[in-house]
Amino acid sequence: MEALLRAIERLERTITLETGALDRNNLAALHEFNHMKSHGLLELKRAIDACQTVDRATFEEEAKAALAGFRAKLERNLDGLRMQLRAVSEIASIIARAIEDHESDGTYTAIREAKVEIQ
């Protein structure tokens, strides 16, 4: 049971660090956070599997308390990730519109016609 609680604690720390980075728009370490979360989830799964011998009532009571705080941190992290994804989507839309506007202003049409005449 202690291994499970330690795994949850480490995942909470990782999520808290990532959420802080998202709040500061410091996205440089997102790849590292992803790796840390994947490792933490593997550790969590192994800890849960090891708890098969623990009394179910004890397991549920202790795990439920530990997971409640973790869930709240995950929800806050999810909000930060959603905000970043919306920002990326908006930027992508602006870039796509700029490319469409640029391509439709006739600039490339004139260049294509000039190349045809040269050949």
Side-chain angles (χ1 to χ4, degrees), residues 1 54-64:
M1 189 67 193
V54 175
D55 175 54
R56 185 173 178 91
T58 303
F59 173 79
E60 287 179 0
E61 184 179 320
E62 290 185 38
K64 193 174 191 178

Side-chain angles (χ1 to χ4, degrees), residues 29-94:
L30 287 184
H31 179 70
E32 183 179 338
F33 287 126
N34 191 42
H35 175 74
M36 291 167 60
K37 289 187 296 185
S38 294
H39 182 76
L41 288 173
L42 177 62
E43 184 181 1
L44 182 64
K45 183 192 179 319
R46 288 179 179 164
I48 289 171
D49 290 345
C51 286
Q52 297 300 325
T53 59
V54 175
D55 175 54
R56 185 173 178 91
T58 303
F59 173 79
E60 287 179 0
E61 184 179 320
E62 290 185 38
K64 193 174 191 178
L67 290 172
F70 183 50
R71 180 184 182 115
K73 289 183 181 190
L74 281 173
E75 288 173 0
R76 174 130 166 56
N77 183 263
L78 181 60
D79 290 341
L81 289 169
R82 282 184 177 141
M83 185 172 36
Q84 290 297 328
L85 286 173
R86 278 194 302 270
V88 168
S89 179
E90 287 178 29
I91 291 169
S93 293
I94 290 168

Side-chain angles (χ1 to χ4, degrees), residues 96-116:
R97 273 183 292 197
I99 290 171
E100 288 173 6
D101 291 347
H102 183 70
E103 287 178 349
S104 67
D105 70 358
T107 302
Y108 289 108
T109 305
I111 291 172
R112 270 187 252 131
E113 290 172 1
K115 284 183 181 180
V116 171

